[in-house]
Amino acid sequence: MLVSMRQLLDEAAQGGYGVGAFNVNNMEQIQAIMEAARETRSPAIVQASRGARSYAQDLYLYHLMLAATELYPEIPLVLHLDHGNSVETCKSAIDLGFTSVMMDGSLMPDGKTPSSFEYNVGATRKVVEMAHARGVTVEGEIGVLGGIEDGHGAGLDGLSHVTDPEQAAEFVAQTGVDALAIAIGTSHGAYKFAKKPTGEVLKMDRLIEIHQRLPKTHLVMHGSSSVPKELQDIINQYGGKLRPTFGVPVEEIQLGIKNGVRKVNVDTDNRLAITGAIRKVFIETPEKFDPRDYLKPAREAMKKVVAERMTQFGQAGHAGDYQPIPIEEMAKRYAAGK
Ligand code: 13P
């Protein structure tokens, strides 16, 4: 059974830990997350963007996730839509069976142009009404993240639209979102920072202010790959061309988790791990041509990263803490105003 993200995040808040949300496009990535969750006994959030849905096709994705629930019945598992660009995109995900959606109204439906506060509130509130009626969780976003990923993003520097705490409070009050993504200087992709980030560029102080203003809101950190040097080095050692770069240090994420962050989005680190493992096989054994020869090490490399993050975020060991609540029951609770 796929469960609501609201339940996972409420439990995480109670337990004082964070939950990684890992992006997928294919079977191997889902398998890597599920194996890491089993090994570390972690609840798991699997997320798919619009790009992933069109790459894999909705039904393949959904049925792979159902297979995961059958194969790993002990893992509370959420299927979340990452960066829904419109009410219609969120609706199609809910109709398919996603148990959580992000309505990213910080950008217009083109996924590029920063929107007005009024537009964001209006679109997000519509999604909240539609989703809660069906027990589905909603993540909103206020402020604009840096970078572009899968064609989604304003392509701006991470600091141009940092979240304002008062506006965040207004947004939560007017929309009723379950979780709130905030902009504190991070961006999607590998090239986040030119050097190890200081408080000038990674605004953890702002995150803490937002948490103090909204102590009951589950905060979401996007663009939270750490872009470890070891993973960059493997790619470059085997013929890749990554420029030197820095991500979000794990200790900063852990500071966020102490201050209300419950969902931590990670995609790039897994992409790097997969690509490094594949490059290694290609360079070291160019005679090989069975896709399993490189997809197996790739899947293993991603599993290692995911298991490490699950442990670092504190979700490890919490898979068996609670009984999953069916989303139909969540719908009743929303209707009763609980
Ligand atoms: P990274 O590019 O840092 O992995 O961020 C992923 C993300 O925020 C997906 O929404």
Side-chain angles (χ1 to χ4, degrees):
M1 179 171 76
L2 293 169
V3 302
S4 117
M5 188 166 83
R6 178 67 196 242
Q7 186 187 13
L8 256 70
L9 301 189
D10 284 348
E11 290 286 342
Q14 245 182 20
Y17 57 90
V19 184
F22 304 100
N23 289 74
V24 299
N25 301 280
N26 61 26
M27 179 182 75
E28 283 78 6
Q29 289 176 306
I30 295 175
Q31 291 173 327
I33 296 168
M34 297 316 297
E35 278 297 302
R38 173 164 283 169
E39 186 176 284
T40 60
R41 297 189 299 115
S42 297
I45 301 172
V46 169
Q47 59 185 10
S49 64
R50 267 191 302 150
R53 288 174 63 188
S54 84
Y55 172 83
Q57 294 186 27
D58 276 350
L59 280 183
Y60 278 121
L61 258 184
Y62 182 62
H63 286 275
L64 285 168
M65 290 298 292
L66 289 186
T69 63
E70 285 184 39
L71 290 165
Y72 300 83
E74 80 280 19
I75 304 296
L77 179 60
V78 171
L79 176 57
H80 173 77
L81 171 70
D82 192 22
H83 292 288
N85 64 318
S86 65
V87 178
E88 294 70 40
T89 302
C90 293
K91 180 170 188 307
S92 68
I94 295 169
D95 288 344
L96 183 68
F98 279 61
T99 53
S100 178
V101 293
M102 174 181 194
M103 173 63 222
D104 180 1
S106 72
L107 300 176
M108 296 302 288
D110 66 3
K112 293 181 172 54
T113 315
S115 68
S116 68
F117 181 76
E118 292 69 30
Y119 166 83
N120 193 357
V121 167
T124 306
R125 192 163 52 198
K126 265 194 207 142
V127 172
V128 168
E129 282 163 13
M130 170 177 74
H132 284 184
R134 295 164 72 175
V136 171
T137 310
V138 181
E139 172 184 339
E141 174 167 326
I142 187 83
V144 178
L145 289 167
I148 304 183
E149 206 59 33
D150 276 355
H152 184 101
L156 299 168
D157 151 314
L159 292 175
S160 50
H161 289 77
V162 170
T163 304
D164 172 71
E166 275 316 309
Q167 213 180 42
E170 189 71 8
F171 182 79
V172 170
Q174 291 193 27
T175 59
V177 287
D178 300 282
L180 182 68
I182 55 170
I184 51 163
T186 68
S187 47
H188 291 134
Y191 300 102
K192 301 184 195 302
F193 304 111
K195 57 185 175 67
K196 189 171 174 197
T198 60
E200 290 289 292
V201 291
L202 178 60
K203 307 240 169 245
M204 297 307 293
D205 289 354
R206 180 59 66 95
L207 182 148
I208 293 168
E209 268 179 68
I210 296 168
H211 175 56
Q212 283 166 353
R213 184 70 186 76
L214 284 168
K216 290 198 181 133
T217 300
H218 302 314
L219 301 181
V220 183
M221 267 176 86
H222 279 247
S224 292
S225 276
S226 302
V227 197
K229 182 158 184 320
E230 311 83 77
L231 294 181
Q232 298 177 42
D233 287 348
I234 296 175
I235 291 185
N236 286 336
Q237 182 187 345
Y238 294 103
K241 280 203 177 115
L242 292 177
R243 288 178 273 123
T245 177
F246 289 81
V248 182
V250 168
E251 58 279 14
E252 302 288 358
I253 298 171
Q254 289 168 334
L255 173 65
I257 292 169
K258 286 202 182 84
N259 289 282
V261 171
R262 298 295 158 232
K263 174 171 180 273
V264 186
N265 283 17
V266 174
D267 185 5
T268 297
D269 284 352
N270 292 322
R271 294 178 174 197
L272 294 171
I274 287 171
T275 299
I278 291 178
R279 281 190 169 279
K280 184 167 189 287
V281 174
F282 282 177
I283 297 291
E284 285 183 346
T285 48
E287 69 283 5
K288 290 200 165 163
F289 59 86
D290 180 340
R292 290 171 296 188
D293 287 333
Y294 51 87
L295 291 177
K296 257 196 200 173
R299 183 172 64 189
E300 190 55 34
M302 171 163 165
K303 178 195 143 190
K304 199 167 150 239
V305 171
V306 173
E308 198 180 354
R309 295 289 174 273
M310 286 173 159
T311 305
Q312 291 161 331
F313 300 162
Q315 75 205 80
H318 288 288
D321 288 1
Y322 47 94
Q323 278 300 317
I325 302 170
I327 64 162
E328 298 74 22
E329 170 59 26
M330 289 300 291
K332 286 187 199 147
R333 293 188 189 191
Y334 284 121
K338 285 189 194 156

